[in-house]
Amino acid sequence: MNKILYIAYFFVLLLCIRFPAQAQETNGTLSGKITGDKNEPLIGVTVVALHEPSGTKYGVATGTDGRYYLPGLRIGGPYSVTVTMMGMQPQKREQLSIRLGEPMQLNFTLVVAGTELSAVTVKGTKKGAAANTFGTGQNISRTQLSNMPTISRSLQDMTKMVPQASRDNSFAGTNFRYNNVTIDGAINNDAIGFSPSAGGITGSSGMPGSSTRTNAVSLDAIEDMQVYLAPFDVKIGNFTGGSINAVTRSGTNTVTGSVYGFGRNAALTGKGPAGIKMNSDFYDYQAGVRVGFPIIKNKLFFFTNEEITSRQDPSQLLVGQAETAHILSMKEADQIRQSTLDRYGAAFDPGTAGNYSAYSRSQKFFNRLDWNINDKHQLSVRNNTITSKAMNMDRDQQDFRFSSMAYQQVNNQSSTVMELKSRFNSRWSNSFIAGYSVVHDKRNPDADPTLPQVQI
């Protein structure tokens, strides 16, 4: 019997312990101190925070020192906080917003009921300046996500707000492979680490889908995010570059949604480093729709975001131009191709030596369900599924390739995350996160049969 009790106790401890390498923060916190009009701490004061869009309630009572602590709050707002105690005048604070990784502190002073006061002022302050309270980094809110200029609508377009960030998802000079990207607390890194630098075009380096130049999640599905470089919190780890943590949006009691489209083509691009105008075959388009609504008011909510993308990047003609120092001319490239055809036949066609257009396409399907079980427990389940493919054809000043060297990259991924947030009492709370991800990444040669690569 004792062995069974020990085993049960062990599993309870496992549920209460957070593993730093497996999850990041997904919620917000509210804390503070409540005192009387003589600055004495008040014990047993009831504090209720209400997330008005969803009707989710979080309640707690103050301890012997008059302090309260509310963890596991939904990100966003507006929130209203009500403070009540028998024999004291209640107080209420409204239009509050809870941020990811940015604890809010609210202190209240209660007076005896019936006391006439000319004015009562309740002040709310945040603990420090964003993420800097807990280490080098920055928080990025939903408002900033909506207002920031963006080209590829990727996480990287947002993380550029961090002063230590540079191109290709690099932080403080480190390679993007040393980052740790989490979405809703679940790891979302490139599992193998073979992501090509082409992912930098769309801001997806180091994440699944970077091989097909596809973003790991739609920007319209993000509620809040944070970037840490040197955090003090022991929960945040598994990186030596940057920690990028994002939380997705949820449905509310109000039906909300949007239909959007973004795009650009060669007319909106300038010349390349060599002064060559972008080929007219270039384009980059995104279109999608998002909807959030209640299934059961104050109880069950649904949010969905669907998005399609299509991009085409021409590989510029480099032979016989200054970039290749005239090592290879167009005439010589045609002679190489014709010589190969004469020797091996049409089955071994090297392809074109001229301009070649590589494409990338993707479809994103994001769905999330939130359930307010009761005032102490909330459950959320979400799935992010992406299908993508891209034709890759690389040419540079040192390596010229015929079009037969092109290959199709296929990347299909599905990530499901479940989170159970529980507040057992004023001292015990827990956030249990379980995730399951599947990534299929493969390459298909464009030519059949394929020719070997020859370097001179």
Side-chain angles (χ1 to χ4, degrees):
M1 186 66 179
N2 289 335
K3 290 184 177 180
I4 296 176
L5 290 176
Y6 283 132
I7 293 173
Y9 181 69
F10 174 74
F11 278 105
V12 170
L13 285 178
L14 286 179
L15 289 176
C16 294
I17 295 175
R18 292 186 179 183
F19 296 90
Q22 300 298 321
Q24 304 285 33
E25 187 63 60
T26 61
N27 312 296
T29 59
L30 177 65
S31 63
K33 185 177 182 179
I34 301 178
T35 58
D37 52 4
K38 297 181 180 180
N39 203 31
E40 74 279 10
L42 297 180
I43 307 171
V45 179
T46 300
V47 181
V48 177
L50 174 65
H51 183 254
E52 296 180 356
S54 64
T56 309
K57 291 183 179 180
Y58 307 88
V60 71
T62 57
T64 56
D65 57 355
R67 298 186 181 277
Y68 69 93
Y69 180 69
L70 278 174
L73 274 64
R74 286 182 57 159
I75 300 301
Y79 272 86
S80 62
V81 179
T82 305
V83 178
T84 58
M85 184 180 184
M86 185 176 295
M88 310 295 284
Q89 289 186 358
Q91 292 190 16
K92 186 176 183 180
R93 181 73 186 273
E94 298 178 309
Q95 297 299 316
L96 302 174
S97 181
I98 299 298
R99 297 285 305 278
L100 179 64
E102 190 176 329
M104 175 176 285
Q105 182 173 343
L106 281 178
N107 298 327
F108 293 86
T109 300
L110 300 184
V111 297
V112 178
T115 302
E116 294 292 336
L117 294 178
S118 58
V120 177
T121 302
V122 181
K123 296 182 178 180
T125 59
K126 298 176 182 178
K127 287 185 176 180
N132 295 330
T133 305
F134 304 95
T136 305
Q138 187 160 335
N139 297 86
I140 305 171
S141 67
R142 176 70 244 173
T143 302
Q144 291 172 306
L145 290 173
S146 301
N147 297 332
M148 272 289 293
T150 172
I151 296 177
S152 60
R153 303 190 75 244
S154 65
L155 294 181
Q156 180 179 321
D157 279 351
M158 301 298 110
T159 59
K160 290 178 180 178
M161 297 177 62
V162 180
Q164 296 84 354
S166 58
R167 63 183 302 272
D168 210 15
N169 262 353
S170 173
F171 295 93
T174 60
N175 188 278
F176 60 79
R177 292 180 178 87
Y178 293 97
N179 296 339
N180 185 37
V181 182
T182 56
I183 300 177
D184 291 326
I187 291 176
N188 200 78
N189 300 325
D190 173 32
I192 303 177
F194 290 162
S195 300
S197 58
I201 298 175
T202 52
S204 56
S205 295
M207 291 176 273
S210 59
S211 56
T212 53
R213 305 185 289 282
T214 300
N215 293 324
V217 64
S218 171
L219 202 61
D220 261 55
I222 300 297
E223 174 67 34
D224 205 346
M225 62 183 294
Q226 61 185 173
V227 179
Y228 282 119
L229 303 182
F232 305 150
D233 196 335
V234 295
K235 298 192 302 294
I236 304 173
N238 197 34
F239 72 95
T240 55
S243 172
I244 305 172
N245 184 31
V247 174
T248 56
R249 302 174 82 160
S250 306
T252 64
N253 285 325
T254 304
V255 179
T256 60
S258 70
V259 178
Y260 58 90
F262 303 90
R264 58 193 176 111
N265 53 28
L268 298 176
T269 60
K271 295 181 179 180
I276 303 174
K277 180 65 178 177
M278 178 67 76
N279 190 294
S280 59
D281 292 336
F282 168 79
Y283 61 80
D284 184 9
Y285 299 111
Q286 297 183 28
V289 58
R290 63 172 174 85
V291 179
F293 57 88
I295 300 177
I296 302 176
K297 189 176 181 180
N298 296 334
K299 198 74 174 178
L300 195 62
F301 310 94
F302 182 74
F303 176 84
T304 183
N305 175 235
E306 326 298 331
E307 183 178 283
I308 59 173
T309 66
S310 182
R311 179 184 177 115
Q312 183 167 279
D313 294 282
S315 294
Q316 295 291 339
L317 178 65
L318 296 179
V319 294
Q321 296 178 1
E323 300 96 286
T324 56
H326 300 281
I327 294 175
L328 184 68
S329 67
M330 178 58 75
K331 180 180 179 180
E332 290 169 331
D334 290 338
Q335 289 175 343
I336 293 174
R337 178 178 182 274
Q338 189 59 48
S339 176
T340 305
L341 292 174
D342 294 342
R343 181 171 298 185
Y344 302 109
F348 289 90
D349 188 352
T352 179
N355 291 332
Y356 182 88
S357 294
Y359 67 84
S360 61
R361 302 186 182 99
S362 70
Q363 299 81 38
K364 302 181 181 69
F365 308 94
F366 180 88
N367 297 281
R368 173 165 174 156
L369 192 67
D370 290 85
W371 179 24
N372 291 337
I373 303 174
N374 51 45
D375 289 346
K376 293 186 176 181
H377 305 281
Q378 288 84 39
L379 178 70
S380 65
V381 180
R382 66 90 168 154
N383 175 267
N384 186 39
T385 298
I386 300 175
T387 61
S388 62
K389 61 181 179 180
M391 186 63 70
N392 294 322
M393 176 61 190
D394 298 326
R395 289 174 178 169
D396 55 42
Q397 288 82 351
Q398 286 75 37
D399 298 295
F400 175 80
R401 298 174 175 88
F402 286 90
S403 61
S404 61
M405 293 298 296
Y407 62 92
Q408 185 190 62
Q409 184 83 36
V410 178
N411 183 279
N412 297 326
Q413 54 181 291
S414 179
S415 174
T416 302
V417 178
M418 181 200 73
E419 180 178 15
L420 176 62
K421 294 182 290 187
S422 302
R423 295 176 309 283
F424 303 104
N425 51 48
S426 59
R427 301 177 65 90
W428 289 89
S429 64
N430 184 62
S431 178
F432 175 76
I433 300 176
Y436 179 75
S437 299
V438 178
V439 179
H440 295 283
D441 209 341
K442 61 182 180 180
R443 295 183 178 186
N444 299 320
D446 186 36
D448 186 18
T450 59
L451 287 171
Q453 177 171 312
V454 179
Q455 290 184 322
I456 302 175

